[in-house]
Amino acid sequence: MKNKLDALRKQYEVKEFIYSDPIQFPHRFKTLEEIEISAFLASGFAYGKRELFIQKLNLLFEIMNNKPLEFILGFKDNKEKLKGFNYRFIKDFDLVCVLELLNKLYAKKSNLRELFYN
């Protein structure tokens, strides 16, 4: 078993793998909040064909101007930018609900780490 796990580690724990995996999104950011937000959103889209959900996540972060925390904190003004955005079972109104919840959390000067610790 150890040999199999070591082989998988060598295959996937390389920098080149990041670019074809949803883990690439948290790696784009520096602050805890943006890393959390991007990882949370990427995990929600990470089903189906990789190329498709990575393309959709790229589009989502483009809509956010690659500033997910800023986008969420100003979500009331940004909500319309998501109109028509969908991926498989996720529709624009689903995403709006999730981002509204994140807005409430981050508006309280909190973060996902604190939420899960509590």
Side-chain angles (χ1 to χ4, degrees):
M1 180 65 124
K2 181 183 181 332
N3 291 339
K4 285 183 181 183
L5 290 174
D6 284 342
L8 288 170
R9 183 185 54 78
K10 285 179 185 176
Q11 180 180 353
Y12 293 111
E13 284 188 10
V14 294
K15 196 171 191 171
E16 295 77 28
F17 181 75
I18 290 173
Y19 303 110
S20 65
D21 190 78
I23 196 65
Q24 68 181 279
F25 296 99
H27 280 270
R28 294 180 182 182
F29 301 100
K30 301 287 183 228
T31 68
L32 169 66
E33 294 81 7
E34 291 197 324
I35 291 168
E36 288 178 336
I37 292 166
S38 63
F40 183 75
L41 293 173
S43 69
F45 282 76
Y47 62 94
K49 194 170 182 180
R50 274 182 179 205
E51 295 82 15
L52 294 178
F53 67 73
I54 287 174
Q55 180 182 12
K56 276 298 189 179
L57 284 163
N58 277 320
L59 177 59
L60 178 58
F61 287 109
E62 233 176 78
I63 291 169
M64 295 178 160
N65 290 321
N66 289 304
K67 297 177 181 176
L69 179 61
E70 186 178 300
F71 186 86
I72 285 171
L73 290 176
F75 191 64
K76 187 183 278 186
D77 298 328
N78 293 322
K79 191 184 300 190
E80 285 300 310
K81 294 177 182 178
L82 296 173
K83 194 163 184 88
F85 185 92
N86 64 68
Y87 172 69
R88 298 186 65 170
F89 306 113
I90 301 171
K91 303 300 179 206
D92 53 3
F93 53 86
D94 299 316
L95 187 55
V96 164
C97 289
V98 169
L99 295 181
E100 283 176 337
L101 289 171
L102 288 174
N103 170 271
K104 290 177 184 176
L105 174 71
Y106 285 97
K108 292 180 179 181
K109 304 287 187 228
S110 191
N111 57 50
L112 292 175
R113 178 184 287 176
E114 288 178 26
L115 175 71
F116 286 107
Y117 278 150
N118 292 324

